Amino acid sequence: MNIRELRVPGAFEITPRQFGDDRGVFFEWYKSSAFTEAVGHPVDLVQANCSVSAAGVLRGIHTTIAPPGQAKYVTAVTGAFLDVVVDLRPDSPAYGTWDSVLIDDVDRRAVYLPAGLGHAILSLEDRSTVMYLCSLEYSPHLDRDIHPLDPDLAIDWPTHGRDGTTLTYQLSDKDAAAPPFSEWA
């Protein structure tokens, strides 16, 4: 595994080594020992989620109030997503900073984000499937959202899908009504 820290401190991109032959491909998408060595701490994973999206579906920016917060380990099983991590920790020198990683079924990268960060994904292809491991079970009373198209964050969302077609962003009613970043502060 190749693990590198993103511009958002504590968030990491994980690129697995893939082993392929005429039968297919094998790779380890999560390995506790390699993760702990690179990140400096283990993560207690207690829930696994799966989401399937059409091209243009934009989910997030979602976070869970810290403490306890929710760490996530995210990868694409099929298709492609732009995975975006936003630093929402008020005491962080990188507060308001975001970074992104293309997670797809080619390079098979994963993204780790610790508690206190915001998370969003944009599907770049129909039927894209993302799976993520979480350190906290779903707790709706702790959930908070920020509008993913907030101009103050200026996230550079792609305008074209993986096949080159123009994307039309599709947000849930909850995400469309989310407050701007300025209200988070």
Side-chain angles (χ1 to χ4, degrees):
M1 290 184 163
N2 181 26
I3 301 176
R4 74 170 182 92
E5 191 167 24
L6 299 177
R7 285 191 319 244
V8 175
F12 291 84
E13 171 192 276
I14 299 93
T15 305
R17 289 186 56 211
Q18 297 184 57
F19 303 93
D21 59 26
D22 58 351
R23 299 170 298 155
V25 175
F26 173 85
F27 63 97
E28 297 169 338
W29 75 279
Y30 175 79
K31 187 172 185 177
S32 180
S33 60
F35 174 86
T36 301
E37 181 180 338
V39 174
H41 61 83
V43 62
D44 184 23
L45 302 170
V46 299
Q47 182 171 318
N49 300 328
C50 178
S51 178
V52 181
S53 300
V57 169
L58 178 53
R59 301 179 187 274
I61 302 168
H62 302 150
T63 193
T64 303
I65 293 175
Q70 184 185 61
K72 296 178 182 175
Y73 192 95
V74 186
T75 194
V77 179
T78 61
F81 292 88
L82 184 71
D83 189 296
V84 174
V85 178
V86 182
D87 195 332
L88 300 177
R89 302 167 292 193
D91 57 343
S92 171
Y95 180 69
T97 299
W98 63 270
D99 203 351
S100 64
V101 174
L102 175 66
I103 57 173
D104 64 13
D105 54 12
V106 176
D107 294 320
R108 305 202 182 271
R109 291 181 188 95
V111 173
Y112 167 73
L113 57 145
L117 301 184
H119 184 243
I121 54 173
L122 172 63
S123 176
L124 303 174
E125 180 176 296
D126 283 340
R127 294 175 302 283
S128 291
T129 302
V130 68
M131 299 203 47
Y132 50 107
L133 306 172
C134 303
S135 68
L136 180 73
E137 291 182 7
Y138 177 61
S139 304
H141 65 285
L142 298 175
D143 285 358
R144 297 297 182 271
D145 304 309
I146 296 171
H147 200 289
L149 301 174
D150 185 330
D152 287 341
L153 289 174
I155 296 171
D156 187 16
W157 294 110
T159 56
H160 292 83
R162 187 150 81 164
D163 65 0
T165 59
T166 301
L167 292 174
T168 301
Y169 301 140
Q170 301 172 52
L171 282 72
S172 69
D173 291 343
K174 180 181 165 227
D175 287 342
F181 177 64
S182 62
E183 289 184 21
W184 175 262

